Amino acid sequence: MTGTANVPLADIYDRLYTAYGAQHWWPGDSAFEITAGAILTQSAAWANVERALANLNAAGALSPEGIAEISVRELAELIRPSGYYNTKARKLKAFVRIVDECAGGDLERLLALPTAELRALLLATYGIGPETADSILLYAAGRPVFVIDAYTRRTFSRLGLAPEMDSYDGWQSLFSESLPPDAETFNEYHALIVRHGKQVCRKRPLCHACPLSAICPTGVAAAVA
Ligand code: SF4
């Protein structure tokens, strides 16, 4: 993104990309696997989500039809490694019902709906909030929709860039109004923020090892303390 006028968000992207390189998100072989992963990853470590997805795959249930055919109890058992498995089983069931009702069971058809329509549909589905809906839009449907999560809020608050409206939409506008709407860039940027939040800008930030320390008020303050 070097060369765009959208500094500092573009500048931050460049610094993160230079530090960490491409993150190759989203891990998933199909749109359904990505979507199921987006639901299962709520309050779960990705390694546990992968175990749940592997169970679904081994049981032949990693598809809308596969989920529809098994009982909610069987489904809960298969996704147990991801935690909150009874609730998540109901969420997956609710999602495949939407695929069935709105697209005749064809996920690709559902994902081809206009972005605003698809987002509204996802948000009206049990268990799908803005972060999950936008992960599906970005990573499964390839739409230029920025995903906001706790890592984003934490790092960008420390950078002094929190929006006036501390709401999901307020945070999303911060990015979507400052960056060109490009799904590939949004994909990489979100992945880089997560990497940075896990590795450096942790609960206790490692400012001395941070690629953003020169432009971060928190990092500058830590250096002179
Ligand atoms: S300098 Fe510190 S607070 Fe700022 S982004 Fe880096 S790790 Fe986070």
Side-chain angles (χ1 to χ4, degrees), residues 164-175:
E164 259 176 50
M165 287 279 287
D166 186 17
S167 62
Y168 188 93
D169 291 347
W171 276 96
Q172 193 173 51
S173 297
L174 174 74
F175 289 88

Side-chain angles (χ1 to χ4, degrees), residues 155 158-159 196 200-202 205-207 210 212-213 216 218-219:
T155 293
R158 289 171 173 170
L159 283 161
H196 182 63
V200 178
C201 198
R202 309 196 316 208
L206 306 176
C207 300
C210 179
L212 306 177
S213 58
C216 177
T218 310

Side-chain angles (χ1 to χ4, degrees), residues 12-35:
I12 291 167
Y13 175 93
D14 286 340
R15 287 170 192 258
L16 292 175
Y17 191 87
T18 301
Y20 303 116
Q23 299 302 297
H24 306 291
W25 276 32
W26 180 288
D29 290 336
S30 68
F32 186 75
E33 185 171 342
I34 293 168
T35 303

